[in-house]
Amino acid sequence: MKFYISTSGIKRVTISSSGAGKAAPPSTFTPTAAVAGTRRITIRTLLPVVLVLGLLLPFLFVRVTFLVLESATNCSSTLDCIGRGLFSGSDSSPKLRDELTRALVEAKEVELHNEDGLESFDELVKEMTSKRQDIKTFAFKTKAMLSRMERKVQSARQRESIYWHLASHGVPKSLHCLCLKLAEEYAVNALARIRLPPPEYVSRLSDPSFHHLVLLTDNILAASVVVSSTLENLANPEKLVIHIVTDKKTYTPMHAWFAMNPVKSAAVEVKGLHQYDWSQEVNVKVKEMLEINRLIWSRYYNNLKEEDLEHESQNKRYLEALSPGCLSLMNHLRIYIPELFPNLNKIVFLDDDVVVQHDISSLWEMDLNEKVVGAVVSSWCGDDCCPGKKIKDYLNFSHSVISSNFDSDRCAWLYGMNVFDLEAWRRSNITETYQEWLKLNLRNGFSLWYPGVTPPTLIAFEGHVHPIEPSFHLDGLGFRNPDVRDRQLLEAAAVIHFSGPAKPWLEIGNPEVRGLWNKHVNSSNKFMRKCRIMG
């Protein structure tokens, strides 16, 4: 093959072949013809076509896909549905939407029984595409899947709440460490064993002219915070006498703490239960009370089943029955305060989970109008709400014994910051009433009230309560989501009470209110540092 190109201008190109056999006639390529062909296939012509196809093909693909999905329910065959959808020009979206709406409404109104439901959305897609099921089936399977997910979420939340409550039952390692370190110090250091209070203060222990503060606790850290915050805010701390009663195992570390961290102005007495010489009658009553409460604990503990914790009412009752507050010996002995302090006439009682923010000296001067206990009953929010809970939150009003004797809508007075007239208490039959109701509850299968120390106390003190100003006591800071929206109210309270499972020395405590407690922790103390207790 040969190419012949004219040198007088590129007007003609001749191609000839010189192979064997008959020669083929030369082929001639004329530029004019080439120009004409080039005009038909230029880039300028192709580019708009490519752009238009690029815009239309995705929409066409989506449309065809939609029609294929629709063909599963509306058409006899996929090709037939695509043909009608593409060439008839009608829009079937409203029809599909109406059919889906009807299916969803029908699924909503029908109760599903024993329907397991699919595990995930991927399984739902696989199920629907593989079996080519209709829209109604899709609606019912979606409902079953969502119902299954809702049950799992509800169960997870319930269990998380249970674990949160169980976390409040333990003793933190740091508190256990503090107790052991102080007990060791009591054994080897004579300074930790010095007499409390000093000899010059002993006469104050029964002097009615002084302000007597009582604290029943086995928590050293909590006791230190109560004492520290009280002394910091009292106008006349030199008039204060603090009586701390604890159990036998906590006595030595508790004594060591207050011996090595003396209070300069006030007198502090630390006394163990083993140091009391009670009468035989009181000992018998105390043993009966503790035995009844042990039976309550055993009943709930032995009957505890995992499935019971799935129901909120059962969950609440079991957790309260097994909580440290229900098991605490010091809590049960509150009803015997007159026997613990036979030489005192008037005291202010503080729980160990409180913080004193303002001067409370006026409590000792308060006239109780011949009542036994002064407590917050009314609330800052008016007559329509209670400062704590109502009586019906503690007592079982479905029982005729309770419903015939008490008003379910009446507010329960707050326990944890109270003024007690011990003379009036001794003249009453409050302690005897408490014991009688415990036995009555035992005979009724522990069905008269919900577990705890507060219900029988509310019954025993019925008619013996003198209301005091709500600003003296703000409680409920130990619950999961305490209502602290009104910061001014929180700061104005004379005593704030961390009632509830989330005690401020636990990590589950609310950080927003724990700071009010932490600032009174003596974090510079060497035992606090060794045990990593930081305020």
Side-chain angles (χ1 to χ4, degrees):
M1 177 181 294
K2 296 180 181 180
F3 291 87
Y4 297 95
I5 303 175
S6 172
T7 58
S8 60
I10 304 176
K11 295 182 179 179
R12 186 177 59 185
V13 178
T14 303
I15 303 174
S16 63
S17 177
S18 59
K22 187 177 179 178
S27 300
T28 302
F29 176 78
T30 306
T32 304
V35 170
T38 303
R39 287 177 181 173
R40 287 194 298 269
I41 56 173
T42 58
I43 298 300
R44 292 182 180 179
T45 305
L46 289 176
L47 184 58
V49 175
V50 172
L51 291 177
V52 171
L53 291 177
L55 293 174
L56 291 179
L57 286 177
F59 290 103
L60 183 61
F61 173 76
V62 172
R63 178 61 175 168
V64 171
T65 304
F66 180 79
L67 292 174
V68 169
L69 293 176
E70 184 183 5
S71 67
T73 55
N74 293 339
C75 303
S76 57
S77 67
T78 301
L79 293 177
D80 177 56
C81 195
I82 294 176
R84 284 189 298 168
L86 289 176
F87 303 111
S88 64
S90 61
D91 187 6
S92 60
S93 296
K95 180 181 178 181
L96 180 62
R97 182 170 58 251
D98 292 342
E99 186 175 352
L100 179 60
T101 301
R102 286 193 300 271
L104 292 174
V105 171
E106 185 177 350
K108 176 184 176 182
E109 295 175 350
V110 175
E111 286 290 333
L112 299 178
H113 300 286
N114 300 323
E115 181 69 40
D116 291 336
L118 300 173
E119 287 284 349
S120 65
F121 180 74
D122 290 340
E123 290 187 9
L124 176 65
V125 173
K126 183 179 179 180
E127 177 85 6
M128 296 303 297
T129 55
S130 63
K131 297 182 180 180
R132 299 176 60 84
Q133 297 177 343
D134 57 14
I135 291 180
K136 182 178 179 180
T137 305
F138 166 77
F140 276 85
K141 287 188 174 294
T142 302
K143 179 182 178 179
M145 183 184 70
L146 293 177
S147 298
R148 178 189 179 96
M149 291 180 178
E150 287 176 358
R151 290 193 299 269
K152 292 177 69 174
V153 169
Q154 185 178 4
S155 177
R157 287 178 177 174
Q158 192 68 31
R159 290 184 174 275
E160 192 266 345
S161 176
I162 293 169
Y163 298 148
W164 182 81
H165 277 82
L166 291 177
S168 69
H169 293 187
V171 177
K173 181 180 178 181
S174 57
L175 294 189
H176 187 61
C177 167
L178 179 64
C179 193
L180 293 178
K181 294 290 184 183
L182 290 171
E184 181 183 8
E185 194 71 14
Y186 184 90
V188 300
N189 189 349
L191 180 62
R193 299 191 300 271
I194 63 172
R195 183 174 179 177
L196 291 176
E200 61 271 20
Y201 287 168
V202 172
S203 60
R204 299 184 183 184
L205 296 180
S206 58
D207 191 337
S209 64
F210 285 86
H211 296 163
H212 296 272
L213 178 69
V214 170
L215 184 62
L216 276 63
T217 180
D218 57 1
N219 189 322
I220 301 167
L221 179 61
S224 70
V225 169
V226 174
V227 172
S228 174
S229 63
T230 302
L231 292 173
E232 183 179 322
N233 291 281
L234 281 184
N236 299 301
E238 66 278 357
K239 294 191 65 177
L240 184 65
V241 180
I242 303 172
H243 304 267
I244 301 176
V245 180
T246 188
D247 56 15
K248 186 176 181 179
K249 66 178 178 60
T250 315
Y251 170 74
T252 54
M254 185 77 75
H255 188 283
W257 173 264
F258 286 99
M260 301 183 67
N261 298 275
V263 177
K264 296 180 180 179
S265 53
V268 178
E269 176 192 29
V270 177
K271 199 168 183 178
L273 292 175
H274 60 288
Q275 297 174 323
Y276 282 91
D277 187 17
W278 286 345
S279 65
Q280 181 65 21
E281 181 184 1
V282 174
N283 279 327
V284 170
K285 290 181 179 179
V286 170
K287 289 180 180 179
E288 287 181 354
M289 176 188 68
L290 296 179
E291 178 61 20
I292 291 175
N293 285 283
R294 187 194 67 80
L295 291 174
I296 295 175
W297 182 87
S298 299
R299 177 178 182 271
Y300 282 95
Y301 181 79
N302 294 333
N303 294 333
L304 181 63
K305 299 177 182 178
E306 184 177 0
E307 55 267 23
D308 291 331
L309 299 179
E310 297 294 333
H311 305 285
E312 186 174 357
S313 58
Q314 292 290 339
N315 167 25
K316 179 181 178 182
R317 179 167 293 194
Y318 279 113
L319 292 175
E320 288 182 354
L322 303 177
S323 67
C326 290
L327 304 176
S328 173
L329 172 63
M330 310 312 300
N331 281 351
H332 293 304
L333 288 178
R334 293 175 181 179
I335 198 66
Y336 288 99
I337 286 179
E339 285 73 23
L340 292 171
F341 303 99
N343 299 320
L344 298 182
N345 298 327
K346 193 174 188 179
I347 66 164
V348 169
F349 169 81
L350 291 181
D351 214 339
D352 63 358
D353 54 354
V354 306
V355 173
V356 178
Q357 298 190 126
H358 302 291
D359 185 17
I360 58 173
S361 301
S362 60
L363 292 175
W364 284 277
E365 311 300 332
M366 184 176 295
D367 183 6
L368 299 183
N369 296 322
E370 300 184 353
K371 301 294 185 180
V372 175
V373 58
V376 171
V377 180
S378 59
S379 177
W380 56 270
C381 58
D383 297 332
D384 296 333
C385 65
C386 295
K389 299 180 179 179
K390 293 186 177 182
I391 296 290
K392 64 182 179 181
D393 296 319
Y394 295 101
L395 307 182
N396 180 17
F397 278 86
S398 63
H399 200 290
S400 59
V401 174
I402 297 297
S403 60
S404 60
N405 286 280
F406 304 99
D407 180 9
S408 61
D409 290 326
R410 189 160 48 84
C411 292
W413 54 275
L414 299 184
Y415 211 163
M417 193 289 302
N418 306 103
V419 185
F420 287 109
D421 185 341
L422 299 186
E423 283 188 321
W425 192 335
R426 295 185 187 102
R427 293 193 301 266
S428 70
N429 60 344
I430 290 175
T431 304
E432 291 75 12
T433 302
Y434 185 94
Q435 290 281 359
E436 291 173 2
W437 276 94
L438 284 181
K439 295 176 183 178
L440 183 60
N441 189 39
L442 174 61
R443 292 195 296 268
N444 284 274
F446 305 112
S447 61
L448 297 186
W449 57 73
Y450 304 117
V453 180
T454 304
T457 304
L458 296 175
I459 294 176
F461 281 90
E462 180 74 13
H464 298 282
V465 182
H466 175 75
I468 64 178
E469 286 293 325
S471 60
F472 273 109
H473 188 183
L474 179 65
D475 82 330
L477 300 186
F479 289 98
R480 182 140 201 179
N481 296 304
D483 188 2
V484 293
R485 291 171 293 180
D486 193 338
R487 193 74 184 184
Q488 186 176 1
L489 176 67
L490 185 66
E491 295 174 353
V495 176
I496 55 175
H497 190 182
F498 290 84
S499 57
K503 301 304 181 186
W505 52 84
L506 300 175
E507 292 185 0
I508 63 173
N510 190 310
E512 188 174 355
V513 293
R514 281 180 67 188
L516 300 173
W517 186 87
N518 286 336
K519 67 181 182 181
H520 296 286
V521 175
N522 185 5
S523 55
S524 62
N525 181 272
K526 66 175 183 178
F527 296 107
M528 294 285 192
R529 294 199 304 270
K530 286 181 180 179
C531 296
R532 299 183 179 181
I533 300 175
M534 301 298 176

